[in-house]
């Protein structure tokens, strides 16, 4: 069973194949109306259920359009409307959904819940973001960088801000694709200790510091994310603690002259990033958002390849 729960679980060749397939599918449907199926729609008749415990714009719409372009169909389930929201077990939910649909995507508060769903499902489960990681986002981000730079291996990426779920998935990808990653996070906002451990043991070129200037020095890519993720408490404290880690035009100017800016969105202009950066010529954020669609399609095909 091919679940897509964390980049750390995916082999480097498989991750590279997913990226290559995403590029190929994007090119193959150039010029088609967005709702039209792909020329060789690869998943006819397949049904995808999507469970949401948290809000989403990009993940929901990209997965809905992805399965439609692949020839399949989707249904969206909000936890509040499901028996899961009234205490039905994750295990029974997994067993029942597996009888109705061919794959399940879930955006959940707790990472363990997604792992439990996968353990009891007899169809592939895809992590659409948890408190600990956001692997689908990172496939789209890496695709965007490959489009722009051609290859990833020689790049230096700088993550500036909270060492959150999105940061964790970048850490997981670093040893697989060979790029260097410097994360600058304030004290108390470092990535989870398991991810710090992974960074140290996986052979990736990952550096951690409290210094945004050092992180962006020589960087080809500067990345920001919200200072207050879904489910975070103490928004006011976070905004204060993280304020010195905003990506300003001044910080961006310390990166390489041809550096680009990424942000998974939604963004908060004036908090984690200045409008001049995210709306400026170095920003790739809307290519990045579009590439969620192509990435999702490649992930769905990878999950369902032998199913
Ligand atoms: N980047 C991302 O996952 O966006 P949504 O929360 O809108 O899905
Ligand atoms: N770190 C953010 C990403 C949103 C797509 C969050 O978890 O809310």
């Amino acid at each position: 069973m091919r679940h897509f729960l964390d980049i750390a679980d995916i082999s480097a060749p498989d991750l590279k194949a997913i990226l290559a397939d995403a590029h190929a599918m994007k090119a193959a449907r150039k010029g088609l109306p967005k709702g039209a199926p792909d020329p060789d729609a690869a998943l006819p008749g397949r049904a995808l259920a999507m469970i949401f415990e948290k809000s989403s714009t990009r993940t929901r719409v990209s997965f809905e359009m992805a399965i439609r372009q692949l020839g399949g169909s989707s249904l969206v389930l909000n936890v509040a409307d499901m028996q899961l929201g009234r205490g039905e077990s994750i295990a029974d939910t997994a067993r029942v959904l597996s009888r109705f649909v061919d794959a399940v995507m879930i955006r959940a508060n707790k990472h363990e819940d997604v792992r439990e769903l996968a353990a009891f499902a007899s169809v592939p489960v895809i992590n659409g973001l948890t408190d600990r990681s956001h692997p689908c986002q990172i496939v789209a981000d890496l695709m965007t960088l490959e489009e722009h730079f051609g290859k990833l291996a020689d790049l230096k990426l700088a993550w500036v801000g909270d060492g959150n779920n999105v940061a964790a998935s970048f850490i997981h990808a670093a040893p697989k694709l060979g790029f260097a990653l410097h994360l600058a996070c304030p004290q108390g906002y470092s990535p989870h200790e398991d991810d710090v451990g992974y960074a140290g043991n996986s052979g990736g070129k990952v550096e951690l510091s409290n210094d945004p200037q050092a992180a962006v020095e020589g960087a080809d890519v500067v990345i920001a994310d919200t200072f207050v993720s879904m489910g975070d408490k103490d928004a006011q404290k976070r905004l204060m603690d993280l304020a010195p880690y905003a990506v300003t035009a001044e910080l961006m100017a310390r990166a390489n002259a041809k550096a680009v800016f990424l942000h998974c969105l939604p963004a908060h202009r004036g908090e984690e990033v200045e409008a001049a950066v995210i709306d400026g010529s170095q920003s790739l954020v809307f290519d990045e958002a579009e590439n969620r669609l192509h990435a999702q399609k490649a992930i769905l095909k990878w999950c369902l390849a032998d199913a």
Side-chain angles (χ1 to χ4, degrees):
M1 180 68 55
R2 278 180 160 182
H3 299 302
F4 191 84
L5 303 183
D6 268 314
I7 302 274
D9 303 336
I10 313 295
S11 72
D14 278 14
L15 187 55
K16 287 175 186 164
I18 288 170
L19 283 164
D21 195 27
H23 289 293
M25 280 189 286
K26 182 175 182 177
R29 66 168 292 114
K30 218 174 159 65
L32 286 181
K34 295 181 180 70
D38 282 353
D40 67 338
L43 299 177
R46 301 297 185 143
L48 170 72
M50 295 191 267
I51 304 174
F52 285 97
E53 265 185 352
K54 307 192 200 194
S55 309
S56 169
T57 297
R58 280 144 289 267
T59 302
R60 175 178 172 167
V61 178
S62 60
F63 266 107
E64 284 206 42
M65 294 310 295
I67 192 76
R68 191 184 301 189
Q69 291 183 0
L70 290 168
S73 62
S74 60
L75 49 151
V76 172
L77 308 165
N78 290 307
V79 167
D81 304 329
M82 298 174 72
Q83 298 291 10
L84 185 61
R86 293 182 57 245
E88 184 168 16
S89 72
I90 293 173
D92 282 356
T93 303
R95 293 177 181 119
V96 170
L97 288 179
S98 299
R99 301 288 182 107
F100 292 129
V101 298
D102 300 295
V104 178
M105 193 286 297
I106 177 166
R107 167 165 285 195
N109 291 312
K110 293 198 209 119
H111 198 73
E112 315 79 89
D113 290 351
V114 175
R115 292 232 165 244
E116 189 177 345
L117 189 82
F120 288 96
S122 52
V123 299
V125 172
I126 299 170
N127 171 5
L129 178 145
T130 68
D131 56 337
R132 290 292 308 281
S133 63
H134 196 2
C136 294
Q137 179 69 51
I138 268 42
V139 177
D141 292 8
L142 298 174
M143 178 186 176
T144 307
L145 295 178
E146 282 185 339
E147 259 176 0
H148 187 82
F149 290 105
K151 60 180 178 156
L152 295 164
D154 303 328
L155 298 181
K156 176 185 175 184
L157 279 58
W159 174 274
V160 184
D162 186 17
N164 64 13
N165 45 2
V166 180
S169 290
F170 271 112
I171 292 174
H172 299 162
K176 316 258 174 198
L177 295 165
F179 57 83
L181 175 66
H182 187 144
L183 301 105
C185 313
Q187 216 110 58
Y189 294 87
S190 288
H192 189 281
E193 59 184 354
D194 292 353
D195 299 314
V196 174
Y198 177 94
N201 297 327
S202 59
K205 294 178 268 179
V206 180
E207 199 176 333
L208 294 168
S209 80
N210 307 127
D211 187 346
Q213 269 93 11
V216 303
E217 180 81 45
D220 305 290
V221 187
V222 179
I223 316 162
D225 187 16
T226 181
F227 289 161
V228 186
S229 283
M230 292 180 279
D232 278 344
K233 312 273 184 287
D234 295 333
Q236 285 318 312
K237 180 172 164 36
R238 290 184 144 265
L239 291 177
M240 241 165 49
D241 293 347
L242 285 151
Y245 290 71
V247 176
T248 59
E250 194 191 333
L251 186 71
M252 199 69 201
R254 290 173 175 261
N256 283 349
K258 291 191 173 162
V260 299
F261 175 76
L262 293 185
H263 188 309
C264 66
L265 307 178
H268 310 79
R269 289 166 175 79
E271 291 181 9
E272 73 273 9
V273 60
E274 268 183 8
V277 174
I278 192 166
D279 299 321
S281 59
Q282 288 168 288
S283 176
L284 295 182
V285 298
F286 297 110
D287 288 340
E288 181 184 6
E290 179 193 329
N291 285 337
R292 290 295 303 277
L293 167 68
H294 311 293
Q296 261 45 303
K297 288 164 72 173
I299 292 165
L300 283 164
K301 276 173 70 182
W302 179 82
C303 284
L304 288 164
D306 305 319

PDB file of all heavy atoms in Angstrom, residues 56-59 107 134 137 264-265 292, ligand 1:
ATOM      1  N   SER A  56      -9.067  25.112   4.312  1.00  0.00           N
ATOM      2  CA  SER A  56      -8.163  24.969   3.172  1.00  0.00           C
ATOM      3  C   SER A  56      -8.762  25.638   1.944  1.00  0.00           C
ATOM      4  O   SER A  56      -9.965  25.537   1.709  1.00  0.00           O
ATOM      5  CB  SER A  56      -7.931  23.493   2.853  1.00  0.00           C
ATOM      6  OG  SER A  56      -7.267  23.373   1.612  1.00  0.00           O
ATOM      7  N   THR A  57      -7.933  26.290   1.177  1.00  0.00           N
ATOM      8  CA  THR A  57      -8.318  26.749  -0.163  1.00  0.00           C
ATOM      9  C   THR A  57      -7.538  25.943  -1.202  1.00  0.00           C
ATOM     10  O   THR A  57      -8.109  25.207  -2.006  1.00  0.00           O
ATOM     11  CB  THR A  57      -8.024  28.256  -0.329  1.00  0.00           C
ATOM     12  OG1 THR A  57      -8.826  28.966   0.615  1.00  0.00           O
ATOM     13  CG2 THR A  57      -8.353  28.737  -1.741  1.00  0.00           C
ATOM     14  N   ARG A  58      -6.193  26.057  -1.170  1.00  0.00           N
ATOM     15  CA  ARG A  58      -5.354  25.434  -2.186  1.00  0.00           C
ATOM     16  C   ARG A  58      -5.417  23.911  -2.172  1.00  0.00           C
ATOM     17  O   ARG A  58      -5.532  23.269  -3.226  1.00  0.00           O
ATOM     18  CB  ARG A  58      -3.881  25.866  -2.016  1.00  0.00           C
ATOM     19  CG  ARG A  58      -3.572  27.226  -2.596  1.00  0.00           C
ATOM     20  CD  ARG A  58      -2.558  27.928  -1.732  1.00  0.00           C
ATOM     21  NE  ARG A  58      -3.218  28.289  -0.486  1.00  0.00           N
ATOM     22  CZ  ARG A  58      -3.808  29.482  -0.273  1.00  0.00           C
ATOM     23  NH1 ARG A  58      -3.740  30.410  -1.178  1.00  0.00           N
ATOM     24  NH2 ARG A  58      -4.455  29.732   0.869  1.00  0.00           N
ATOM     25  N   THR A  59      -5.323  23.319  -0.996  1.00  0.00           N
ATOM     26  CA  THR A  59      -5.267  21.857  -0.931  1.00  0.00           C
ATOM     27  C   THR A  59      -6.582  21.266  -1.423  1.00  0.00           C
ATOM     28  O   THR A  59      -6.600  20.332  -2.231  1.00  0.00           O
ATOM     29  CB  THR A  59      -4.947  21.433   0.515  1.00  0.00           C
ATOM     30  OG1 THR A  59      -3.710  22.045   0.876  1.00  0.00           O
ATOM     31  CG2 THR A  59      -4.837  19.926   0.645  1.00  0.00           C
ATOM     32  N   ARG A 107      -6.644  16.296   5.949  1.00  0.00           N
ATOM     33  CA  ARG A 107      -5.975  17.425   6.619  1.00  0.00           C
ATOM     34  C   ARG A 107      -6.416  17.357   8.079  1.00  0.00           C
ATOM     35  O   ARG A 107      -7.610  17.524   8.381  1.00  0.00           O
ATOM     36  CB  ARG A 107      -6.372  18.752   5.984  1.00  0.00           C
ATOM     37  CG  ARG A 107      -5.954  19.943   6.821  1.00  0.00           C
ATOM     38  CD  ARG A 107      -6.022  21.240   6.059  1.00  0.00           C
ATOM     39  NE  ARG A 107      -4.919  21.334   5.122  1.00  0.00           N
ATOM     40  CZ  ARG A 107      -4.532  22.462   4.516  1.00  0.00           C
ATOM     41  NH1 ARG A 107      -5.172  23.591   4.757  1.00  0.00           N
ATOM     42  NH2 ARG A 107      -3.519  22.471   3.685  1.00  0.00           N
ATOM     43  N   HIS A 134       3.740  18.916   5.968  1.00  0.00           N
ATOM     44  CA  HIS A 134       2.893  19.284   4.818  1.00  0.00           C
ATOM     45  C   HIS A 134       3.588  18.792   3.545  1.00  0.00           C
ATOM     46  O   HIS A 134       4.049  19.583   2.717  1.00  0.00           O
ATOM     47  CB  HIS A 134       2.707  20.807   4.803  1.00  0.00           C
ATOM     48  CG  HIS A 134       1.584  21.284   3.941  1.00  0.00           C
ATOM     49  ND1 HIS A 134       0.748  20.437   3.241  1.00  0.00           N
ATOM     50  CD2 HIS A 134       1.130  22.557   3.670  1.00  0.00           C
ATOM     51  CE1 HIS A 134      -0.146  21.147   2.582  1.00  0.00           C
ATOM     52  NE2 HIS A 134       0.060  22.429   2.818  1.00  0.00           N
ATOM     53  N   GLN A 137       2.708  20.052  -0.130  1.00  0.00           N
ATOM     54  CA  GLN A 137       3.178  21.409  -0.415  1.00  0.00           C
ATOM     55  C   GLN A 137       4.616  21.381  -0.917  1.00  0.00           C
ATOM     56  O   GLN A 137       4.975  22.095  -1.863  1.00  0.00           O
ATOM     57  CB  GLN A 137       3.101  22.246   0.879  1.00  0.00           C
ATOM     58  CG  GLN A 137       3.592  23.661   0.706  1.00  0.00           C
ATOM     59  CD  GLN A 137       2.656  24.482  -0.163  1.00  0.00           C
ATOM     60  OE1 GLN A 137       1.468  24.521   0.077  1.00  0.00           O
ATOM     61  NE2 GLN A 137       3.187  25.133  -1.179  1.00  0.00           N
ATOM     62  N   CYS A 264       3.984  29.227   1.022  1.00  0.00           N
ATOM     63  CA  CYS A 264       2.931  28.265   0.651  1.00  0.00           C
ATOM     64  C   CYS A 264       1.558  28.911   0.581  1.00  0.00           C
ATOM     65  O   CYS A 264       0.656  28.353  -0.025  1.00  0.00           O
ATOM     66  CB  CYS A 264       2.943  27.085   1.619  1.00  0.00           C
ATOM     67  SG  CYS A 264       2.495  27.522   3.312  1.00  0.00           S
ATOM     68  N   LEU A 265       1.394  30.087   1.205  1.00  0.00           N
ATOM     69  CA  LEU A 265       0.113  30.799   1.296  1.00  0.00           C
ATOM     70  C   LEU A 265      -0.866  30.004   2.190  1.00  0.00           C
ATOM     71  O   LEU A 265      -0.768  28.785   2.207  1.00  0.00           O
ATOM     72  CB  LEU A 265      -0.502  31.059  -0.081  1.00  0.00           C
ATOM     73  CG  LEU A 265       0.396  31.770  -1.108  1.00  0.00           C
ATOM     74  CD1 LEU A 265      -0.362  31.914  -2.442  1.00  0.00           C
ATOM     75  CD2 LEU A 265       0.831  33.150  -0.617  1.00  0.00           C
ATOM     76  N   ARG A 292       0.624  23.171  -7.015  1.00  0.00           N
ATOM     77  CA  ARG A 292      -0.057  22.215  -6.123  1.00  0.00           C
ATOM     78  C   ARG A 292      -0.897  21.249  -6.968  1.00  0.00           C
ATOM     79  O   ARG A 292      -0.943  20.052  -6.690  1.00  0.00           O
ATOM     80  CB  ARG A 292      -0.968  22.950  -5.126  1.00  0.00           C
ATOM     81  CG  ARG A 292      -0.248  23.763  -4.058  1.00  0.00           C
ATOM     82  CD  ARG A 292       0.553  22.899  -3.109  1.00  0.00           C
ATOM     83  NE  ARG A 292      -0.232  21.894  -2.442  1.00  0.00           N
ATOM     84  CZ  ARG A 292      -0.958  22.083  -1.347  1.00  0.00           C
ATOM     85  NH1 ARG A 292      -0.976  23.248  -0.753  1.00  0.00           N
ATOM     86  NH2 ARG A 292      -1.643  21.086  -0.790  1.00  0.00           N
TER      87      ARG A 292
HETATM   88  N1  LIG B   1      -0.756  26.059   1.152  1.00  0.00           N
HETATM   89  C1  LIG B   1      -1.877  25.440   1.533  1.00  0.00           C
HETATM   90  O1  LIG B   1      -1.892  24.283   1.946  1.00  0.00           O
HETATM   91  O2  LIG B   1      -3.014  26.202   1.421  1.00  0.00           O
HETATM   92  P1  LIG B   1      -4.460  25.844   1.961  1.00  0.00           P
HETATM   93  O3  LIG B   1      -4.406  25.922   3.469  1.00  0.00           O
HETATM   94  O4  LIG B   1      -5.351  26.897   1.378  1.00  0.00           O
HETATM   95  O5  LIG B   1      -4.846  24.464   1.524  1.00  0.00           O
END
